[in-house]
Amino acid sequence: MEKSGKAGIATFVMRQHEYLVAVKAENGLLTCHTLHWADEIRDPKKEIGDLPAKAKASDKELKMAEQLIEALSMEWNPEEFHDTFQERVAALIEAKRAGKTVEKAEPAAKATGAVDLMEALRASVERARSPKVTGGKAAGPGAIAEKKPGAKKRIRSTPPTDGNGG
């Protein structure tokens, strides 16, 4: 295969899923590359009608991009990268082997923006206990504040006409 420069096309089943693959010989090894099925390949111009035109980068922009790439480049050291999923699975297996009970972790709650009703109630109770309502002294926990009758508010039946809001 390597001498001829050709690849073999085959189907490959992994985890109850069938994949289309290309089997190639590279540097004395057989490699397997996953491919897309024909129905998965689409023309972007047909799918997205208003694709931007091909942009031409200036020499200055290209030089800046090259500098950025060079600044962020590093020597590849595979030992610095870990499959955290595999590590968590191995830890779970070890815990089970040691006889510990392993419970399924609850997924993290997503923020919903909903109001915490208990917190709103606490805030309301605290406002009710404030010195303004109790006549200068905040009531202690469990105390019942006597409400003094407040001044009655006048409600206008027609809006003010002087243009200043009052």
Side-chain angles (χ1 to χ4, degrees):
M1 280 177 100
E2 193 167 9
K3 279 185 184 179
S4 68
K6 293 185 179 183
I9 304 297
T11 55
F12 176 73
V13 178
M14 180 171 62
R15 298 184 190 106
Q16 292 88 29
H17 188 79
E18 187 175 39
Y19 297 90
L20 182 65
V21 296
V23 179
K24 293 173 53 179
E26 297 175 343
N27 300 323
L29 297 172
L30 282 179
T31 59
C32 184
H33 302 271
T34 56
L35 304 174
H36 291 282
W37 298 100
D39 66 333
E40 296 174 328
I41 301 170
R42 294 177 285 188
D43 182 4
K45 291 178 183 166
K46 288 181 182 175
E47 298 295 322
I48 306 169
D50 57 345
L51 281 175
K54 191 171 185 177
K56 177 71 177 144
S58 69
D59 290 338
K60 189 175 182 180
E61 290 171 323
L62 289 173
K63 185 177 180 181
M64 188 184 310
E66 289 170 1
Q67 288 174 343
L68 180 62
I69 291 168
E70 188 59 37
L72 296 175
S73 295
M74 61 181 226
E75 284 294 318
W76 167 247
N77 184 1
E79 287 80 30
E80 292 179 9
F81 298 87
H82 301 277
D83 182 353
T84 56
F85 176 78
Q86 187 270 340
E87 290 171 354
R88 288 192 311 263
V89 169
L92 286 172
I93 291 169
E94 278 304 312
K96 283 207 165 218
R97 188 177 290 155
K100 297 178 184 173
T101 58
V102 179
E103 293 185 27
K104 186 176 178 181
E106 295 278 334
K110 293 182 181 178
T112 61
V115 177
D116 182 355
L117 294 178
M118 287 303 293
E119 190 57 43
L121 180 60
R122 277 190 206 101
S124 175
V125 169
E126 287 302 315
R127 278 195 305 274
R129 291 181 179 168
S130 73
K132 182 178 176 183
V133 174
T134 59
K137 190 175 182 184
I144 299 173
E146 287 186 39
K147 228 179 177 185
K148 292 184 180 179
K152 290 189 178 183
K153 242 186 179 178
R154 256 178 55 186
I155 300 174
R156 295 177 189 243
S157 59
T158 58
T161 55
D162 61 45
N164 294 329

